[in-house]
Amino acid sequence: MSSERFLLLADVADTLNISASQAYALVRSGELEAIKVGGRGQWRVERTKLEAYIDRQYSQTADWVRENPLIERARTPSPTRACLLIPGG
């Protein structure tokens, strides 16, 4: 990807490793700021807006991880992995 100021939605999708329709949904929902340009109203995302979105996602993810700590569970035998003992077998 070049260092152009504005990115196509396809470039945004590539950067975030998501589909083009997911990138479009981010823009249409307002989560990711973008502009429409040209007669056909093609979407463009400013590189700095994409970087700000990524920063927000890191921050939100860190908050979520703090609020939802990983709890280690005691390992118990799984019913599907338990052995069936048959008398006289």
Side-chain angles (χ1 to χ4, degrees), residues 29-65:
S29 71
E31 281 187 73
L32 177 58
E33 289 185 72
I35 60 172
K36 289 180 81 171
V37 296
R40 297 186 305 175
Q42 297 180 355
W43 289 101
R44 297 292 183 266
V45 177
E46 194 167 357
R47 184 176 298 279
T48 57
K49 300 295 185 185
L50 178 58
E51 293 302 325
Y53 170 79
I54 292 169
D55 289 343
R56 283 193 311 278
Q57 293 307 111
Y58 270 112
S59 178
Q60 289 175 9
T61 300
D63 291 344
W64 186 89
V65 168

